[in-house]
Amino acid sequence: VRSAAEMAAITESDLGFVPTMGAFHEGHLSLMREARKIHDCLCVSLFVNPLQFGKSEDLDKYPRNEERDFAMAGEVGVDILFAPAANEIYPRESTIVHVPEITDLWEGSLRPGHFDGVATVVLKLFNLVKPRTAYFGWKDLQQCLVIRRMVEDLNVPVSLSFLPTVREADGLAMSSRNVYLSPEDRARAPKLRQTLIALAKALSVEDRSVASELEVARKTLVGQGFRLDYLELVSLNDIRSTLDTKNAALIVAARLGATRLIDNLRLGADVI
Ligand code: PAF
């Protein structure tokens, strides 16, 4: 489906929805397979949303491969692939959805406007697709919390399902941006996950100082050649830094070369 009007005209009572920006990898496919098992009708959107990219970010370079994506969606049994044009989604300057508080930190502060772009497009897509349930990957943990908050605050009639991060055999979280890694950086990249696991184990021992364990882990990553944006223990309620390991997650963003990697580990919830 190419046009928003056509999409809006479809009324399926049991529709599962996976919003994506294309360049499918196993992470996307696992969301689709899960939704496929549950719903009568499965819709996947493929839209590289210009509103969520900063001026200096990689909108023009973002990996695009529609033909391959179409073929993969067919194999997974997607019923509707919704791939609208940008000028149809944004025919004029758009009203913006701004989720407060949880967008101030981490990805929100490093990528100003990013979550306004995400919240705006996700709400527009929900309104066009009218899903019963929408599926997102936990890899973008802050994005999951932002969408959850938007849906609660604006009473959006959709249920949300957040599914575990899919990883390469060596533990690197799957991401469309991994293709940018040089061979040396690709070999180094799994250290991000390994460091989170070591840190989670250290924090599970009673009386360990959260602040000093975080510092050790930060130094490990920098020593491995990562340029660290942040490595923090945060509350899953409000994504603020916390020293309390209950209902908390480790979140990390770091660069290798020009590639920015993010990952997270939910203490007590993720298998380590
Ligand atoms: O996670 C993504 O791919 C995007 O942020 C999303 C949710 C499809 C909105 O453009």
Side-chain angles (χ1 to χ4, degrees), residues 18-22 28 45 47-49 52-53 62 114 117-119 121-122 125 135-137 140 143 147 176:
V18 181
T20 82
M21 298 206 298
H28 299 111
S45 64
F47 180 62
V48 182
N49 173 32
Q52 70 188 73
F53 288 80
Y62 196 81
H114 170 67
V118 170
V121 81
V122 169
L125 292 169
Y135 295 79
F136 297 87
D140 297 296
Q143 170 170 283
I147 291 166
S176 304

Side-chain angles (χ1 to χ4, degrees), residues 157-223:
V158 63
S159 74
L160 298 174
S161 183
F162 302 126
L163 298 182
T165 303
V166 179
R167 299 180 180 282
E168 303 287 355
D170 59 12
L172 176 65
M174 293 214 184
S175 161
S176 304
R177 290 185 171 102
N178 289 350
V179 295
Y180 300 144
L181 289 166
S182 69
E184 301 81 64
D185 287 340
R186 176 63 191 81
R188 224 179 274 178
K191 194 72 195 164
L192 204 59
R193 163 82 170 159
Q194 288 158 16
T195 305
L196 289 187
I197 292 176
L199 179 54
K201 285 192 175 138
L203 295 180
S204 68
V205 178
E206 245 172 88
D207 294 337
R208 287 287 182 95
S209 152
V210 172
S212 53
E213 293 300 340
L214 279 168
E215 221 21 66
V216 171
R218 289 186 190 114
K219 287 205 177 105
T220 307
L221 287 176
V222 172

